[in-house]
Amino acid sequence: SEATYLELTSKFMKNFNNVHRLDALAGYSYSEDVYDDASMWNGNFPTDYFSYYNMGLGSKLTDGQASMSSSKNSSKLIGFFGRVSYGYADRYNVLVSMRREGSSKFGANNKWGNFPSASLGWTISNEKFMKNIKWVDNLKLRAGFGVTGVIPSASYKSLTLWELGSTYYYDNGTWKQGLVVNSNPNPDLKWEKSTEFNIGLDWSLFSDRLSGTID
């Protein structure tokens, strides 16, 4: 098997007047996986000395009972992504991200999918009206959503797949086994997407002696 991976990213970070904080990231990723397999089987060897380095020595080959097989499949995944984070006075935080990915495993009409996400955070304990409440160390309210996608495990589900069938045809004096369609093409095969929404509260009290999270 072979694998090729590439990821390029660029970052930007800036603080303004020690109040505003801005972080940004943009990137590109590429991955290609190639899997190949080959196998041989033989039996009744006159000696075990050669191990599997002399497969033709077994008598099952001349008897027509030996076998061999090979296979190969490949897939590619390309992604463009970006993320922007903004914070104000250690009280308010916003994070927005977008990822656009394309996979060779999907149909011709749906190679690409968009996956956005966003989150908001409010650190209530850093507000001015909380300064006199000494027993609250941390109190943060947050909310967010995100979309994720699932890729099929097999590489060629969107294509016409063939296999040897029970139909035979006569050609040049011999009967040959014909091909039949194993599965029909599906150019509309697309990402399986799920969307998640969440709201939560983090809290810590009494010099961090008591803390918890609610989601």
Side-chain angles (χ1 to χ4, degrees):
S1 62
E2 298 179 4
T4 302
Y5 298 101
L6 172 67
E7 183 167 286
L8 304 174
T9 59
S10 179
K11 283 185 176 183
F12 173 82
M13 301 177 65
K14 183 72 174 180
N15 289 326
F16 304 91
N17 301 323
N18 293 322
V19 177
H20 304 276
R21 176 186 51 79
L22 180 65
D23 296 338
L25 179 144
Y28 165 83
S29 64
Y30 172 91
S31 65
E32 181 178 8
D33 294 302
V34 179
Y35 300 93
D36 52 53
D37 174 75
S39 65
M40 299 175 289
W41 182 89
N42 203 345
N44 288 347
F45 290 88
T47 176
D48 294 331
Y49 177 79
F50 297 103
S51 182
Y52 47 79
Y53 293 107
N54 194 349
M55 292 295 293
L57 195 62
S59 65
K60 293 292 185 180
L61 181 63
T62 55
D63 295 341
Q65 299 182 33
S67 65
M68 67 177 65
S69 65
S70 62
S71 64
K72 181 179 181 180
N73 69 76
S74 64
S75 64
K76 293 181 181 179
L77 180 66
I78 297 175
F80 301 89
F81 54 91
R83 183 179 71 236
V84 177
S85 174
Y86 170 76
Y88 175 76
D90 290 329
R91 298 199 299 269
Y92 310 107
N93 294 279
V94 179
L95 176 64
V96 178
S97 67
M98 170 63 78
R99 188 174 184 94
R100 179 169 174 81
E101 288 190 320
S103 172
S104 62
K105 294 183 178 181
F106 295 111
N109 300 333
N110 292 290
K111 295 290 187 186
W112 293 88
N114 298 317
F115 306 98
S117 67
S119 63
L120 303 173
W122 177 27
T123 307
I124 305 171
S125 55
N126 287 342
E127 294 286 355
K128 292 181 179 179
F129 60 80
M130 294 290 293
K131 284 187 176 181
N132 294 326
I133 307 177
K134 303 298 184 181
W135 53 274
V136 176
D137 302 304
N138 180 58
L139 184 62
K140 182 175 182 179
L141 180 66
R142 49 188 168 75
F145 90 98
V147 180
T148 58
V150 177
I151 302 176
S153 57
S155 296
Y156 308 115
K157 285 182 174 290
S158 66
L159 305 178
T160 302
L161 300 181
W162 299 81
E163 67 178 3
L164 293 173
S166 59
T167 303
Y168 284 77
Y169 64 96
Y170 192 75
D171 180 48
N172 291 330
T174 60
W175 287 96
K176 298 181 180 179
Q177 192 173 10
L179 292 171
V180 296
V181 174
N182 180 289
S183 64
N184 292 319
N186 182 8
D188 295 322
L189 181 66
K190 61 183 180 180
W191 293 83
E192 179 184 345
K193 292 184 177 181
S194 62
T195 303
E196 179 179 324
F197 296 89
N198 184 67
I199 186 169
L201 182 70
D202 302 324
W203 48 273
S204 177
L205 312 174
F206 309 115
S207 299
D208 294 328
R209 290 185 175 89
L210 184 63
S211 62
T213 296
I214 300 174
D215 284 289

